[in-house]
């Protein structure tokens, strides 16, 4: 299905097609301009800087980190530290990273545990969280377990869950937003036998792309302004500004991962071309979604297939953010089709069934709201308190969570992430989820005035786990709760 950019924009912007989109993406566009600190709806959004010239640098494609393999377990050492890196051409940028690497990649295998010794050499605390990981409480990066500078800790990831694209990021008590912003994001791709059996693109044609925004000072340093989400005009892909990527004229599997603090990406190809979405946060969708415009709120993942054999050799295919703020350059990256290649891959009509999680025993209310009097972001009227337990789910029990975004006055979007287990979207605004939202999720956007119901079953591990808004400034300002899961 080919269509023009005009067609894509019309699709994304036409309210009549909203029900067919993953969520009200089109409506979310004005709302993204008010992601963190509220502004009167009538105030014009200030024009952002356009960012640097696009397509000056090649994409950085990371090779997987090499584990030490002992007795069926993959061992890694990850040291968090400040280091100098080249992000913008000709400039040196102080970043915070794992092992001195930008956007490092771990490839894990279902049934083969990963053990990570994490050493914190940052000047601030750090708590490593595997986003999307089904892991015991003592390996989940609870803020109470954060590592002070100079300390280390062992994390155990059983990898019993199905294949998906996850990521490692900070969950420390007050430094997480800045640590993520300054570069601490590692991709964690879990593979399994089920996916091996599908004819999807593999090997060098399976590429992980961390997308984020950033603001740079004239000297190349990163500018971290907690409330500056409107003034981060640079888009980075695997740490490089709007790169180009030389591809063969065949299908690629692209694992898109939004590591931004507050940015929303709505992705489309300029000109003729098609994105087919095959997965969401928790792995493959039941069936592929053709002609997709994947929308990614912070921490969300979306895997897609793009067939570059549709283009003549020499073509340049631009991926752009259809939700760019006024004044921003929309270009995210460019694919340069430079060579022929065999392509035995194809996209099956059916990908991976989602199993029903059974009858729910109870329904919880989760109301997300900004409090203008205190500047805090609240869940059910309360800001996060590490010494308070908000929910007490029973192990093995299925629950419905009815999540309402009450921020109609300010138009603030929120995106709820629940630790430990994936969930399914039951309905959004009373309607069944769109095909792109029909898979397993761990983070779900709820726009101002919306109500989304999700179904979740807590399995395997008891203990304390978090749930929170993944717009990191909101989380910082209190929008986080704690559950104690008991057997
Ligand atoms: Cu929020």
């Amino acid at each position: 299905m080919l269509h023009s950019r005009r067609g894509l924009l019309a699709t994304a912007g036409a309210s009549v097609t909203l029900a067919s989109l993953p969520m009200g993406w089109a409506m979310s566009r004005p709302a993204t301009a008010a992601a963190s600190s509220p502004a009167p709806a009538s105030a014009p959004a200030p024009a952002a800087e356009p960012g640097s010239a696009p397509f000056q640098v090649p994409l950085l494609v990371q090779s997987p980190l090499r584990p030490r393999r002992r007795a069926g377990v993959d061992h890694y050492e990850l040291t968090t530290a400040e280091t100098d890196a080249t992000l913008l051409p000709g400039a040196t940028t102080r970043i915070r990273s794992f092992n001195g690497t930008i956007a490092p990649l771990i490839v894990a295998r279902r049934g083969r545990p990963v053990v990570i010794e994490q050493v914190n050499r940052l000047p601030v605390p750090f708590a490593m969280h595997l986003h999307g990981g089904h892991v015991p409480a003592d390996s989940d990066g609870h803020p109470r377990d954060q590592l002070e500078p100079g300390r280390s800790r062992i994390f155990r990831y059983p990898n019993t869950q199905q294949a998906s694209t996850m990521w490692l990021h900070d969950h420390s008590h007050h430094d997480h937003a800045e640590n993520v912003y300054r570069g601490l994001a590692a991709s964690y791709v879990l593979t399994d036998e089920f996916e091996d059996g599908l004819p999807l693109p593999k090997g060098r044609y399976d590429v992980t792309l961390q997308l984020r925004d950033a603001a740079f000072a004239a000297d190349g340093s990163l500018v971290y302004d907690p409330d500056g989400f409107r003034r981060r005009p640079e888009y980075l892909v695997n740490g490089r500004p709007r790169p180009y990527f030389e591809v063969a004229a065949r299908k690629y599997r692209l694992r898109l991962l939004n590591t931004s603090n507050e940015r929303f990406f709505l992705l489309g190809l300029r000109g003729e071309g098609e994105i087919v979405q095959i997965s969401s946060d928790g792995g493959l969708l039941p069936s592929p979604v053709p002609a997709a415009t994947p929308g990614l709120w912070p921490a969300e993942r979306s895997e897609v297939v793009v067939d570059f054999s549709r283009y003549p050799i020499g073509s340049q295919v631009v991926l752009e953010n259809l939700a760019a703020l006024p004044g921003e350059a929309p270009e995210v990256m460019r694919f340069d089709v430079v060579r022929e290649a065999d392509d035995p891959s194809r996209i099956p009509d059916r990908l991976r069934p989602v199993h029903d999680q059974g009858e729910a025993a109870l329904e919880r209310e989760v109301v997300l709201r900004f409090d203008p009097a205190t500047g805090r972001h609240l869940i059910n009227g309360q800001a996060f308190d590490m010494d308070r337990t908000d929910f007490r789910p029973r192990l093995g029990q299925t629950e419905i969570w009815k999540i309402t975004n009450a921020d109609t006055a300010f138009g603030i979007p929120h995106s709820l992430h629940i630790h430990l287990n994936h969930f399914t979207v039951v309905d959004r605004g009373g309607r069944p989820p769109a095909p792109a939202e029909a898979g397993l999720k761990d983070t779900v956007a709820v726009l101002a005035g919306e109500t989304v119901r999700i179904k979740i079953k807590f399995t395997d591990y008891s203990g304390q786990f978090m749930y929170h808004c993944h717009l990191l400034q909101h989380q910082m300002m209190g929008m986080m709760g704690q559950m104690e899961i008991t057997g």
Side-chain angles (χ1 to χ4, degrees), residues 107-149:
V107 176
R109 183 72 176 174
R110 186 177 191 176
R112 195 168 71 218
V114 160
V115 171
I116 298 178
E117 181 180 5
Q118 205 266 299
V119 182
N120 183 19
R121 304 227 175 274
L122 293 166
V124 294
F126 183 82
M128 189 163 71
H129 172 58
L130 176 59
H131 185 114
H134 185 60
V135 310
D138 61 2
S139 285
D140 197 47
H142 192 287
R144 180 176 287 128
D145 295 332
Q146 70 184 17
L147 285 181
E148 298 302 321

Side-chain angles (χ1 to χ4, degrees), residues 86 130 134 159 163 173 215 283 300 361 386 434:
T86 301
L130 176 59
H134 185 60
N159 294 326
H173 195 33
E300 287 188 309
M386 208 187 293

Side-chain angles (χ1 to χ4, degrees), residues 70-82:
R70 283 201 306 258
V73 176
D74 287 351
H75 294 261
Y76 296 88
E77 245 178 61
L78 289 183
T79 299
T80 47
E82 291 198 336

Side-chain angles (χ1 to χ4, degrees), residues 34 36-40 230 370 372 377 410 412:
S36 186
S37 56
R230 282 199 190 97
F370 173 71
H377 289 267
F410 304 109
I412 305 172

